[in-house]
Amino acid sequence: MDFGLVLQTDPPASAVVGLMRRAERNGFRYGWTFDSAVLWQEPFVIYSRILEHTEKLIVGPMVTNPGTRTWEVTASTFATLNDMYGNRTVCGIGRGDSAMRVAGRRPNTLARLGEATDVIRDLAEGREATVDGQPVQIPWVKDGRLPVWMAAYGPKALALAGQKADGFILQLADQVGNHVADLVARYGEHSGMVPDELTAYIAGRSGYDYSHHGRTGNPDTAFVPDEIVDRFCLLGPAEAHIEKLRHLKDLGVDQFAVYNMHDAREATIDAYGAEIIPALTD
């Protein structure tokens, strides 16, 4: 099993770079960040510094979306980083949650997400793609490689991820409430499309404030019941983490990405490096 570290790009950026360097020293293979231009600093600028100050760490957004950047710009940005640092990026992509909603936009359609996935990968790897009806190719890309991993939850999105993506991102715990609420609105609370255990708590989620998104002390987490926390979170001593991660590994999970957004970030990275990653790494 691989391990990733997920951070928000809060200033100062140097702290994000420092935590990613610490993560690599502790055996983490992936460094992920949020991508929401209004709420946090621009991640792709910071990726360049992370890549410069690490040796093998693979970096990327968890997740970007097809709406806040044009597709050729996204592809060119990844391709530039890969050319500079040797194909050490991965494109996590989804319909767009906080990045779109904070700016007053709706998340992208699945059709647009699927098309963007193909176009961004093709352009970043040097192939021609069609953008807004126009053939486009980035001529300077040589031997580029960009895996595209898709975040998905509902049945149609999961099918799209299986058809288009190189990897699948599943976000858990209180963060997933935004997406479950979308599924309930689309399919109905007792449609059978989403387990009742994941929908029963959504009624208490009205008025979600994205300024607290993913942060310690988020008052909106009050709507998440203990049963959901026990089911989806890794809690307790290292042995409890290892037990749950071994179960996930047996189910086919090949990476666990730690959302490290609290007041013990260094201690968590070090604990994973000392006890948990060695126990789960072949």
Side-chain angles (χ1 to χ4, degrees):
M1 178 182 279
D2 284 333
F3 286 82
L5 183 73
V6 187
L7 298 174
Q8 295 167 334
T9 52
D10 289 315
S14 59
V16 178
V17 176
L19 289 168
M20 291 298 188
R21 295 180 66 188
R22 191 184 197 109
E24 183 179 60
R25 293 195 301 269
N26 276 280
F28 288 81
R29 290 193 63 232
Y30 285 78
W32 302 94
T33 74
F34 284 25
D35 178 16
S36 189
V38 174
L39 297 176
W40 298 286
Q41 291 188 331
E42 172 55 40
F44 287 95
V45 176
I46 300 172
Y47 294 157
S48 188
R49 294 288 289 173
I50 294 170
L51 290 166
E52 181 181 6
H53 290 284
T54 55
E55 295 181 1
K56 297 181 179 179
L57 196 72
I58 299 167
V59 304
M62 190 178 276
V63 294
T64 193
N65 72 85
T68 52
R69 295 178 178 85
T70 61
W71 304 347
E72 68 274 16
V73 169
T74 299
S76 180
T77 304
F78 278 112
T80 301
L81 292 171
N82 283 337
D83 186 66
M84 293 172 69
Y85 300 105
N87 287 335
R88 289 169 54 200
T89 67
V90 56
C91 177
I93 195 168
R95 293 177 60 217
D97 183 34
S98 62
M100 297 295 286
R101 298 183 199 272
V102 167
R105 305 186 185 103
R106 295 176 59 84
N108 296 270
T109 64
L110 288 177
R112 181 173 170 83
L113 174 60
E115 184 182 359
T117 297
D118 290 338
V119 168
I120 291 168
R121 183 196 294 114
D122 284 344
L123 291 177
E125 294 184 346
R127 295 183 294 276
E128 183 180 286
T130 300
V131 181
D132 295 330
Q134 184 74 21
V136 176
Q137 187 169 13
I138 302 175
W140 49 262
V141 174
K142 307 296 182 186
D143 302 318
R145 181 178 59 83
L146 182 66
V148 182
W149 295 13
M150 187 179 294
Y153 301 94
K156 293 180 180 179
L158 291 169
L160 182 68
Q163 294 161 8
K164 298 283 188 179
D166 302 299
F168 167 50
I169 296 170
L170 180 63
Q171 191 181 50
L172 299 177
D174 66 293
Q175 297 288 320
V176 81
N178 312 313
H179 308 292
V180 173
D182 285 345
L183 295 177
V184 171
R186 178 179 293 272
Y187 296 110
E189 188 168 339
H190 302 293
S191 64
M193 292 290 191
V194 185
D196 288 346
E197 295 92 332
L198 296 183
T199 62
Y201 70 99
I202 292 301
R205 185 194 168 274
S206 60
Y208 185 83
D209 184 352
Y210 277 93
S211 67
H212 303 296
H213 192 52
R215 298 188 183 279
T216 302
N218 184 344
D220 292 305
T221 58
F223 73 86
V224 183
D226 290 344
E227 292 79 6
I228 293 293
V229 174
D230 292 338
R231 183 169 180 174
F232 290 115
C233 292
L234 271 67
L235 303 170
E239 294 78 12
H241 289 236
I242 292 168
E243 180 182 2
K244 192 166 244 184
L245 286 168
R246 282 179 173 157
H247 178 62
L248 291 172
K249 183 178 180 181
D250 290 342
L251 292 174
V253 174
D254 57 17
Q255 181 180 152
F256 178 69
V258 181
Y259 271 47
N260 202 17
M261 300 158 196
H262 44 72
D263 56 1
R265 296 183 298 177
E266 292 85 356
T268 298
I269 293 169
D270 293 346
Y272 262 75
E275 301 182 68
I276 298 170
I277 292 178
L280 275 295
T281 303
D282 294 329

